[in-house]
Amino acid sequence: MYTIAALYHFTRFPDPAALKPALLTLCQAQDVKGTLLLAKEGINGTIAGPRAGIDAVLAHIRALPGCADLEWKEAQSDHPPFGKMKVRLKKEIVTMGQPDVDPLAKVGHYVEPQDWNDLIRSEDVVVIDTRNDYEVAIGTFEGAIDPRTDSFREFPAWWEANKERFHNKRVAMFCTGGIRCEKSTNYLLGQGVEQVYHLKGGILRYLEEMPADNSTWQGECFVFDNRVSVGHGLVEGPHELCHGCRRPILPEDRKRPEYEHGVSCHLCINETTDADKTRFRERQKQIALARARGEEHLGSH
């Protein structure tokens, strides 16, 4: 079994580049794979590997400046969720493009999963899903507003265009693991919204702790690893990725005429040019050749 750890932590890293080599070396030595993002505002990512390897990497991260109280969410998988390990340097660990937003200064009120249902069912509360449109499409909380954003960077403009709809309302927001809400709640507080709330630990913690028969969640939750989606108890969902557009699709979508493995699906068939599709087909051919060579190599031992 592989242990999957999803984590983020806002702290001050004056020189994130200096932290990269030791972190990458440790992950590789411990057979831990996935992606970790480092920026001056902190660390974010999802990693997977053997139990001992994940423990070693988490201990290393907790020893970094300001990370002693790091929190993370775990799940299990019987197949490797990632193919390689990447540690990347970024301007932001989750990109909002708002230089004045600072989650270390102030964020909204954290709401525990067991208190979430009562809050979002209150008449004076508006519930906003801060995730991207393709994530919302496969599951969200009942009554939640979908801003229909392609990326988190679009959220401030959406809020500016829609804020009058929410006058005199309390605002409750949620996302996959909680990180986007650290920024979106700070942003709304800076815009003068007085009562802002967010789901502590995000959807993943809610699905882990809340029984299905007492849930206001509808559908599946998109995750950024090879599981693609999870449901209650963080059980792996039915979705697969279209490797043309990286959106989640269901197994039956592979039977649709628009589907071509690694090239297109019904969601992206009209979004790419013929040249793009030709390039994607060549990519798939190279992947198949590499896989065949690997199997031949293994068979010769």
Side-chain angles (χ1 to χ4, degrees), residues 100-162:
D100 294 334
V101 165
D102 181 9
L104 289 173
K106 191 176 183 181
V107 295
H109 301 287
Y110 290 109
V111 181
E112 296 290 341
Q114 63 266 27
D115 300 322
W116 181 250
N117 292 354
D118 288 340
L119 174 69
I120 67 172
R121 285 170 169 161
S122 301
E123 290 186 5
D124 66 333
V125 170
V126 60
V127 190
I128 300 174
D129 194 329
T130 66
R131 300 172 303 151
N132 300 335
D133 52 6
Y134 65 89
E135 299 172 76
V136 182
I138 67 167
T140 191
F141 283 105
E142 63 181 38
I145 292 170
D146 176 10
R148 299 185 182 278
T149 51
D150 288 330
S151 73
F152 189 46
R153 188 185 286 273
E154 296 177 6
F155 182 82
W158 175 85
W159 174 261
E160 186 61 31
N162 290 272

Side-chain angles (χ1 to χ4, degrees), residues 121-270:
R121 285 170 169 161
S122 301
E123 290 186 5
D124 66 333
V125 170
V126 60
V127 190
I128 300 174
D129 194 329
T130 66
R131 300 172 303 151
N132 300 335
D133 52 6
Y134 65 89
E135 299 172 76
V136 182
I138 67 167
T140 191
F141 283 105
E142 63 181 38
I145 292 170
D146 176 10
R148 299 185 182 278
T149 51
D150 288 330
S151 73
F152 189 46
R153 188 185 286 273
E154 296 177 6
F155 182 82
W158 175 85
W159 174 261
E160 186 61 31
N162 290 272
K163 62 184 179 183
E164 295 305 321
R165 295 166 55 191
F166 314 125
H167 185 60
N168 287 335
K169 293 280 191 179
R170 293 187 290 160
V171 179
M173 294 190 283
F174 63 92
C175 56
T176 308
I179 185 170
R180 288 181 225 188
C181 293
E182 302 280 348
K183 285 196 167 183
S184 60
T185 58
N186 176 271
Y187 173 76
L188 258 61
L189 290 167
Q191 297 296 304
V193 182
E194 294 181 359
Q195 296 194 65
V196 185
Y197 304 82
H198 52 135
L199 177 58
K200 188 169 185 181
I203 302 161
L204 294 180
R205 187 173 163 207
Y206 182 93
L207 291 177
E208 183 178 25
E209 296 183 5
M210 290 295 289
D213 58 3
N214 191 32
S215 174
T216 54
W217 177 260
Q218 300 169 331
E220 303 287 324
C221 177
F222 181 84
V223 289
F224 295 89
D225 59 58
N226 286 351
R227 294 174 297 168
V228 185
S229 69
V230 296
H232 283 90
L234 302 184
V235 174
E236 190 168 334
H239 293 84
E240 308 168 15
L241 273 191
C242 165
H243 292 286
C245 64
R246 310 298 294 175
R247 292 193 187 104
I249 58 174
L250 289 166
E252 53 263 35
D253 292 328
R254 294 171 61 122
K255 300 172 184 174
R256 296 173 68 136
E258 304 94 335
Y259 181 80
E260 183 179 346
H261 184 65
V263 177
S264 64
C265 69
H266 65 288
L267 299 172
C268 67
I269 185 72
N270 295 319

Side-chain angles (χ1 to χ4, degrees), residues 21-41:
L23 186 55
L24 180 58
T25 299
L26 175 64
C27 290
Q28 292 171 335
Q30 295 290 337
D31 199 26
V32 169
K33 296 175 182 177
T35 301
L36 290 171
L37 307 180
L38 290 169
K40 289 189 174 181
E41 65 181 11

